[in-house]
């Protein structure tokens, strides 16, 4: 009976005092009752007594009331709370004490006003065995979000399994019993500090080692030079053969020093002995601009306003303003171009592979194409070609190889394992230091300008259709009646002619004004008719005006003056003009060859070459059979052009000729 009273009081929160019940219950009945407690009855049981506070009502959680073990968090604070209220306590406090504890005010201010010694009078925390016996959960079940049970109750005012409200007195009275939560972060912090200390020590050690290494660093001594091995000698001997096999390469050259320094950028085609360069630098002089060379023939396109530093020339060269040029003796450009062309040959240079040649291995180096060996040897033994004087047909004459005048009397070659030359450093007499850098990957197909014969072709015999067009050329030109003429003729040493005029195939007459670039203020009027060739020299203003590069057409009627009669032929200009008037007299059949297909004035043409080797003519015939250009191979090993465009030709009156002087008559005898 007493046990039921205690259970009922614990469930309903009311004090049921039957008459037969004693006022005090043994403590063992309170502590031994561990059976599951049914849910509390929340049905109102009438008007509460006035002396019952809100904390003791059935619907309100009562401070200090303990439920079953399933609803208890089992913290040390709750143990303290049970000791104060007498519920679930093992001290056996009487029921009057419990009523006194229940009648205490729950106001927070009142709790806070209690003295500290009253709050600290509670007994110590229960042992683990006692918490287990009372049905409490382990400590880890009460921990939420990394916060301890004391912090959770302080923040929310509720225990983790208790329906009552936790007061500040109870929070203050709870001792820190969770040793694992209180000391958990300490090992992690110690490990983090240890790791940071080790990292700082490692960084300091590395920095110290680096500084000491930099202070004590010294470059490795270079490997001593030595004579070439057999394989290295064979590679050096095959340099020129490799250049000829590779056909082309990009080049960048610096020659000379100080104010005489020249710089060249462009390409070399060893297979055709062709150079195409942009010349710059403070010592460029009259050669500043674009330069092309085929064998001994050099043409330039001067550009005095160009920047001193050269750039790669346009791959398709400009068509105008090219002229023959003779390099003055002592200039830096001629020996440099000779050396560049002489870096190719059709057979190895065996003198380079001889053990006693003095060639040596110097060092290893790295260029853009990869690792190379630096070898020191003499220049190639092949003779460089000296450019003959323009205006002559003499073949280039060999001369001794330019001797090196560097301190060791040697040239350095940067060679890879395939015998390809990537760099050359030497000294040339009269020039000074020369550095050539070759780009083996820059190998475009080069096109010579028209003055050097234009792009190469594959000569072949004429087809039947091409032969018929060539045979019908005279009749075709007479049907066209006439055309305008534009002359571009490099005919001699620094003699570059420009001209403009007309040709009439119906009357067999040609009339044009010719300017020499070397004498820009003079003009030569040339007329060819049935009476022969005649010339006269006049000032530029009286002979049609214009510039030396683009002279105007000759005046009509021809001005009176001292006209000089000339015989047919004689020079390249007369041959070219007479060929234009002859209108397709191409010589005996079987001597014509088709050189290539080309384009001029927007029309596709066949370039047909006729005549002997010393006076070759090229006819540019379009597919309609019209003549668009005549080319003549001049004595300067260049090509002169006479462009023809069908047009209405004015009446070309004969030149005024001096009146014939009367013969003196002998007196009649008487």
């Amino acid at each position: 009976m007493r046990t039921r009273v205690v259970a009922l009081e614990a469930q309903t929160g009311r004090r049921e005092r039957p008459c037969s019940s004693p006022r005090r219950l043994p403590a063992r009945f309170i502590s031994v009752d561990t059976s599951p407690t049914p849910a509390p009855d929340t049905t109102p049981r009438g008007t509460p007594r006035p002396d019952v506070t809100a904390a003791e009502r059935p619907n309100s959680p009562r401070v200090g009331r303990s439920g079953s073990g399933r609803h208890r968090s089992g913290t040390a604070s709750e143990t303290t709370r049970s000791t104060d209220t007498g519920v679930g306590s093992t001290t056996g406090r009487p029921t009057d004490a419990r009523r006194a504890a229940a009648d205490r005010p729950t106001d927070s201010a009142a709790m806070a006003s209690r003295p500290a010694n009253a709050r600290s009078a509670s007994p110590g925390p229960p042992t683990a065995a006692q918490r287990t016996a009372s049905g409490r959960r382990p400590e880890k079940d009460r921990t939420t979000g990394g916060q301890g049970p004391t912090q959770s109750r302080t923040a929310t005012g509720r225990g983790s399994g208790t329906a009552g409200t936790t007061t500040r007195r109870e929070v203050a009275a709870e001792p820190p019993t969770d040793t694992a939560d209180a000391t958990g972060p300490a090992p992690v912090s110690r490990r983090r500090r240890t790791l940071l200390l080790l990292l700082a020590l490692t960084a300091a050690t590395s920095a110290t080692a680096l500084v000491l290494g930099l202070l004590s660093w010294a470059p490795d001594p270079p490997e001593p030079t030595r004579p070439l091995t057999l394989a290295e000698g064979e590679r050096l001997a095959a340099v020129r053969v490799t250049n000829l096999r590779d056909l082309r390469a990009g080049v960048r050259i610096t020659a000379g020093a100080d104010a005489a320094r020249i710089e060249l950028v462009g390409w070399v085609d060893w297979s055709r002995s062709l150079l195409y360069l942009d010349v710059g630098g403070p010592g460029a002089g009259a050669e500043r601009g674009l330069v092309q060379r085929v064998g001994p023939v050099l043409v330039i396109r001067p550009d005095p306003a160009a920047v001193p530093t050269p750039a790669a020339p346009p791959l398709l060269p400009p068509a105008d303003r090219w002229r023959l040029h003779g390099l003055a003796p002592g200039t830096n450009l001629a020996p440099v171009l000779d050396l560049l062309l002489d870096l190719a040959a059709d057979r190895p240079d065996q003198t380079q592979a001889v053990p006693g040649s003095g060639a040596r291995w110097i060092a290893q180096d790295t260029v853009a194409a990869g690792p190379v060996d630096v070898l020191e040897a003499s220049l190639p033994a092949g003779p460089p070609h000296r450019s003959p004087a323009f205006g002559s047909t003499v073949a280039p004459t060999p001369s001794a190889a330019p001797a090196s005048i560097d301190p060791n009397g040697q040239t350095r070659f940067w060679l890879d394992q395939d015998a390809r030359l990537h760099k050359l450093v030497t000294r040339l007499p009269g020039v000074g230091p020369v550095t050539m850098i070759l780009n083996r990957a820059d190998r475009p197909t080069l096109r010579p300008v028209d003055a050097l014969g234009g792009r190469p072709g594959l000569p072949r015999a004429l087809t039947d259709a091409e032969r018929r067009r060539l045979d019908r050329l005279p009749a075709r030109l007479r049907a066209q009646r006439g055309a305008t003429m534009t002359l571009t003729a490099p005919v001699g040493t620094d003699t570059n002619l420009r001209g403009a005029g007309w040709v009439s195939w119906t009357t067999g007459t040609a009339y044009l004004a010719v300017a020499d670039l070397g004498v820009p203020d003079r003009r030569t009027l040339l007329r060819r008719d049935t009476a022969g060739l005649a010339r006269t020299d006049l000032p530029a203003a009286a002979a049609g005006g214009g510039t030396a590069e683009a002279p105007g057409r000759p005046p009509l009627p021809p001005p009176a003056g001292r006209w000089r009669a000339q015989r047919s032929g004689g020079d390249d200009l007369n041959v070219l003009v007479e060929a234009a008037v002859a209108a397709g007299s191409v010589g005996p059949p079987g001597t014509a060859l088709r050189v290539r297909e080309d384009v001029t004035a927007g029309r596709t043409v066949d370039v047909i070459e006729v005549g002997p080797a010393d006076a070759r003519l090229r006819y540019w015939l379009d597919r309609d059979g019209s003549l668009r250009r005549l080319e003549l191979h001049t004595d300067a090993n260049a090509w002169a052009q006479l462009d023809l465009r069908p047009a209405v030709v004015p009446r070309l009156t004969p030149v005024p000729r001096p009146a014939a002087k009367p013969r003196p008559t002998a007196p009649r005898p008487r």
Side-chain angles (χ1 to χ4, degrees), residues 376-377 403-412 425-428:
E376 188 176 76
S404 175
I405 58 173
D406 64 347
N408 297 324
Q410 299 292 323
T411 300
R412 293 193 174 184
V425 176
T426 187
R427 293 181 68 90
L428 295 178

Side-chain angles (χ1 to χ4, degrees), residues 78-95:
E78 292 172 350
T79 304
T80 305
R81 198 163 55 247
S82 300
T83 304
D84 292 339
T85 59
V87 179
S89 173
T90 58
T91 58
R93 295 183 61 183
T95 307

Side-chain angles (χ1 to χ4, degrees), residues 140 166 169 213 256 272 352 661:
K140 62 181 181 179
T166 303
R169 178 183 63 81
R272 292 185 288 164
Q352 301 284 5
K661 296 181 179 179

Side-chain angles (χ1 to χ4, degrees), residues 287-353:
E287 290 82 21
R288 185 184 304 277
L290 299 181
V291 172
Q292 278 201 3
R293 175 176 169 177
V294 174
V297 183
L298 177 72
V299 295
I300 66 172
R301 190 177 187 270
D303 188 3
V307 296
T309 303
L315 193 56
L316 184 63
D320 59 342
R321 295 172 52 196
W322 290 94
R323 61 183 70 181
L324 281 173
H325 184 68
L327 297 174
T331 59
N332 293 347
L333 187 59
V336 172
L337 299 183
D338 289 340
L339 176 60
L340 184 56
L341 288 178
D342 289 334
L343 291 177
D346 57 356
R347 62 192 63 186
D349 186 4
Q350 297 299 335
T351 60
Q352 301 284 5

Side-chain angles (χ1 to χ4, degrees), residues 155-450:
T156 61
R158 297 178 180 271
S160 62
T162 306
T165 304
T166 303
T167 62
R168 293 185 180 180
R169 178 183 63 81
E170 295 170 337
V171 173
E174 292 177 355
T177 59
D178 197 349
T179 307
D181 292 343
T183 61
V188 178
S189 300
R190 285 196 297 271
R191 286 195 298 270
R192 185 179 295 114
R193 286 194 297 270
T194 303
L195 180 60
L196 292 177
L197 181 61
L198 290 177
L199 291 177
L201 182 60
T202 303
T205 305
S206 301
T208 304
L210 178 61
V211 171
L212 294 177
L214 292 176
L215 293 177
S216 61
W217 176 83
D220 294 334
E223 187 176 352
T225 63
R226 55 173 173 77
L228 299 184
T229 63
L230 180 60
E232 292 167 349
E234 291 177 351
R235 275 194 288 149
L236 183 61
V239 167
R240 298 202 296 170
V241 177
T242 304
N243 289 339
L244 186 61
R245 181 191 62 196
D246 288 351
L247 303 180
R248 297 174 293 274
V251 297
R252 179 178 291 272
I253 304 173
T254 302
D258 301 330
R261 187 184 78 255
I262 60 173
E263 299 176 2
L264 300 92
V265 179
W267 299 278
V268 56
D269 188 338
W270 288 296
S271 64
R272 292 185 288 164
S273 296
L274 171 62
L275 298 176
Y276 182 26
L277 304 168
D278 185 12
V279 181
E287 290 82 21
R288 185 184 304 277
L290 299 181
V291 172
Q292 278 201 3
R293 175 176 169 177
V294 174
V297 183
L298 177 72
V299 295
I300 66 172
R301 190 177 187 270
D303 188 3
V307 296
T309 303
L315 193 56
L316 184 63
D320 59 342
R321 295 172 52 196
W322 290 94
R323 61 183 70 181
L324 281 173
H325 184 68
L327 297 174
T331 59
N332 293 347
L333 187 59
V336 172
L337 299 183
D338 289 340
L339 176 60
L340 184 56
L341 288 178
D342 289 334
L343 291 177
D346 57 356
R347 62 192 63 186
D349 186 4
Q350 297 299 335
T351 60
Q352 301 284 5
V354 176
S357 62
R360 300 185 65 83
W361 181 92
I362 301 300
Q364 286 186 339
D365 200 354
T366 302
V367 296
V372 294
D373 291 321
V374 183
L375 308 181
E376 188 176 76
S378 59
L379 284 172
H385 297 281
R386 287 181 177 175
S387 300
F390 291 116
S392 66
T393 58
V394 180
T397 57
S399 63
S404 175
I405 58 173
D406 64 347
N408 297 324
Q410 299 292 323
T411 300
R412 293 193 174 184
F413 301 81
W414 276 252
L415 298 181
D416 62 13
Q417 296 300 317
D418 297 326
R420 288 187 174 89
L421 180 65
H422 294 272
K423 184 178 178 181
L424 183 144
V425 176
T426 187
R427 293 181 68 90
L428 295 178
V431 177
V434 177
T435 300
M436 294 184 180
I437 299 176
L438 304 178
N439 186 354
R440 314 298 301 205
D442 189 10
R443 305 172 58 249
T445 301
L446 305 181
R447 175 173 179 172
V449 296
D450 293 335

